[in-house]
Amino acid sequence: MLHDPNRVYVFDTTLRDGEQVPGCQLTTPEKIEIAKELEALGVDIIEAGFPISSPGDFQSVVELSKAVSEPIICALTRANKGDIDSAVAALKYAKRPRIHTGIGSSDMHIKHKFNSTREEILERAVEAVKYAKQFVEDIEFYAEDAGRADIQFLAQMVEAVIGAGATVVNIPDTNGYCLPDQYGSKIKFLKENVKNIDQAIISVHCHNDLGLATANSIAGLQNGARQIEGTINGIGERAGNTSIEEVVMILKTHQVLGLHTHINSKNFYELSRMVSSQMRMPVQPNKAIVGSNAFAHSSGIHQDGFLKNRENYEIIRPEDVGFPDASIVLTARSGRHALKFHLERLGFNLSKEELGEAYHRFLTVADSKLDINDQDLLLMMDKSQLA
Ligand code: KIV
Ligand code: ZN
């Protein structure tokens, strides 16, 4: 039951959709370590795995259920009894279990993946939800490839599974196909045309094949979805899933949207590094929110503006996401103001003329190096008459 209509629930699938990425597989103890940090981050739901897929995944769901108490622990299944039985068994120790079951909803999947018909698929969807509901109260249904599904059929499916007991309806853009306004309109249509939609939470689950996962997730939330599914660092199948850190910081930055989560954003940076190192998946330096350059200022114009007032070039404070600090990177494109800032930090208080002379020497050094560190500056000052 929703109490606060503006609260967005955060569903983390780093350990399921994220862990499916080749080379990212984790051991159960590694998964437990990440799950505990996800709990500290304040996620509402942790998708712990796909129990039928392997004995290792089954065991991970069992152990995570024991290790974590606050978030809901969710297990993925296909729409069949065997998968659901396995998930029920794996969730035995979960204080708040959820089963995430579903089936394809686009004609593409219905014909070319299931070799079936809309009628049969609808029946299987309803049967799966009813079956799972006998064991677990909280049932999330995913309409796979909803991004490409016929909207009338999708609405019919959503209404039927809510009628069968689904508490959350996940509308995945499985292939990252939609444009933000298309995806937003889909959610709006469901909100306005599915009779029993108020009995469930709509969830957005977007993939990043066209680089639109975050934009699509926000469009979904703006149109009435209240759960967002994603991963830390945006890892996931192919081009990845929606980055949780991006969605959360968008909601914080644009308070005009009137939506909020219960996430402790100060934990993002550390968790991002933990996921990256355990999954052997480097974070690209220009990754929004958690990339190593996300708060680095390197051109002279930006550095000058930043040093006058950091808000000239900072819309998020690095400390709000646990980032060590904004940095003024010294390169051959830096200006005097940035050099003065670093020299003062190292204890050199120079007159205007002295700074001019130091800057001249600095440019010579900077032209021969990609970036300048404290050692380079100390050496440069040592050799000059200014020290
Ligand atoms: O992308 C997708 O459709 C999924 C479902 C299994 C939820 O990951
Ligand atoms: Zn997915």
Side-chain angles (χ1 to χ4, degrees):
M1 222 352 115
L2 261 188
H3 297 295
D4 174 355
N6 298 325
R7 163 138 184 226
V8 173
Y9 292 88
V10 177
F11 176 116
D12 180 276
T13 185
T14 306
L15 301 175
R16 199 280 296 169
D17 227 343
E19 210 245 359
Q20 284 174 207
V21 175
C24 285
Q25 275 65 43
L26 300 174
T27 60
T28 299
E30 285 171 332
K31 285 189 190 173
I32 290 175
E33 212 184 317
I34 291 180
K36 286 192 168 157
E37 291 307 315
L38 288 169
E39 182 171 35
L41 179 71
V43 304
D44 301 287
I45 303 105
I46 296 177
E47 188 161 49
F50 181 15
I52 195 84
S53 67
S54 74
D57 227 33
F58 181 94
Q59 203 50 35
S60 293
V61 177
V62 172
E63 298 305 329
L64 257 68
S65 299
K66 292 181 190 164
V68 166
S69 54
E70 271 300 307
I72 290 170
I73 298 293
C74 178
L76 185 78
T77 82
R78 291 164 297 187
N80 67 59
K81 289 186 178 174
D83 279 27
I84 295 169
D85 288 341
S86 173
V88 170
L91 288 168
K92 183 172 164 201
Y93 298 100
K95 282 145 210 90
R96 302 169 67 203
R98 176 180 291 180
I99 289 184
H100 190 191
T101 190
I103 199 159
S105 61
S106 66
D107 287 330
M108 180 77 204
H109 277 215
I110 293 170
K111 286 190 194 125
H112 302 288
K113 182 173 159 183
F114 295 98
N115 188 23
S116 186
T117 61
R118 286 185 182 184
E119 293 68 33
E120 250 178 46
I121 290 288
L122 207 54
E123 212 175 295
R124 283 172 66 177
V126 167
E127 264 177 30
V129 172
K130 280 192 181 157
Y131 185 69
K133 193 80 179 178
Q134 296 175 54
F135 310 103
V136 172
E137 166 52 32
D138 189 4
I139 307 294
E140 173 166 342
F141 177 83
Y142 64 87
E144 196 181 5
D145 202 21
R148 294 189 296 172
D150 172 74
I151 190 66
Q152 299 291 347
F153 178 65
L154 185 63
Q156 198 186 350
M157 186 180 237
V158 166
E159 191 167 321
V161 296
I162 295 175
T167 43
V168 180
V169 281
N170 177 10
I171 312 300
D173 187 18
T174 305
N175 292 294
Y177 169 77
C178 289
L179 293 169
D181 68 325
Q182 289 172 331
Y183 190 70
S185 301
K186 263 186 201 274
I187 304 298
K188 188 170 160 45
F189 185 91
L190 296 175
K191 203 74 194 143
E192 289 175 354
N193 293 281
V194 171
K195 280 205 299 286
N196 52 5
I197 199 72
D198 291 343
Q199 292 167 33
I201 295 172
I202 300 181
S203 185
V204 291
H205 177 117
C206 297
H207 279 265
N208 207 29
D209 300 66
L210 293 172
L212 291 171
T214 296
N216 285 344
S217 300
I218 295 293
L221 296 178
Q222 285 180 291
N223 284 283
R226 286 295 176 271
Q227 178 177 288
I228 174 265
E229 309 195 3
T231 59
I232 298 298
N233 299 336
I235 59 160
E237 288 273 346
R238 306 179 311 277
N241 286 59
T242 305
S243 289
I244 286 180
E245 61 274 16
E246 293 176 11
V247 172
V248 168
M249 294 317 290
I250 288 169
L251 298 186
K252 272 197 166 203
T253 305
H254 291 278
Q255 297 206 348
V256 64
L257 295 174
L259 300 174
H260 63 272
T261 67
H262 282 192
I263 293 290
N264 306 313
S265 63
K266 286 185 167 52
N267 294 17
F268 273 139
Y269 181 76
E270 217 177 297
L271 183 51
S272 159
R273 290 304 175 270
M274 179 193 263
V275 167
S276 168
S277 85
Q278 290 205 356
M279 291 193 157
R280 299 159 288 277
M281 190 71 145
V283 179
Q284 70 190 61
N286 58 328
K287 166 81 183 62
I289 316 296
V290 290
S292 57
N293 286 348
F295 298 95
H297 306 276
S298 56
S299 85
I301 295 173
H302 285 209
Q303 290 176 336
D304 182 58
F306 175 83
L307 289 166
K308 284 175 178 148
N309 180 339
R310 55 195 300 164
E311 285 181 27
N312 279 325
Y313 287 99
E314 227 176 53
I315 58 162
I316 298 169
R317 290 182 310 170
E319 56 271 30
D320 287 350
V321 295
F323 205 90
D325 198 2
S327 62
I328 298 286
V329 184
L330 286 177
T331 71
R333 304 289 157 265
S334 301
R336 275 159 224 259
H337 202 164
L339 179 64
K340 181 168 179 275
F341 167 80
H342 277 290
L343 289 178
E344 281 177 2
R345 196 174 49 75
L346 294 172
F348 299 100
N349 288 301
L350 307 184
S351 68
K352 199 169 171 207
E353 289 70 34
E354 287 171 332
L355 181 66
E357 197 185 314
Y359 185 62
H360 193 69
R361 291 174 68 84
F362 161 77
L363 285 182
T364 314
V365 181
D367 265 339
S368 62
K369 286 201 86 206
L370 287 179
D371 59 70
I372 306 290
N373 58 32
D374 286 357
Q375 264 327 95
D376 298 318
L377 289 180
L378 290 169
L379 198 67
M380 179 186 98
M381 294 307 286
D382 205 35
K383 283 188 186 156
S384 80
Q385 308 301 314
L386 305 169

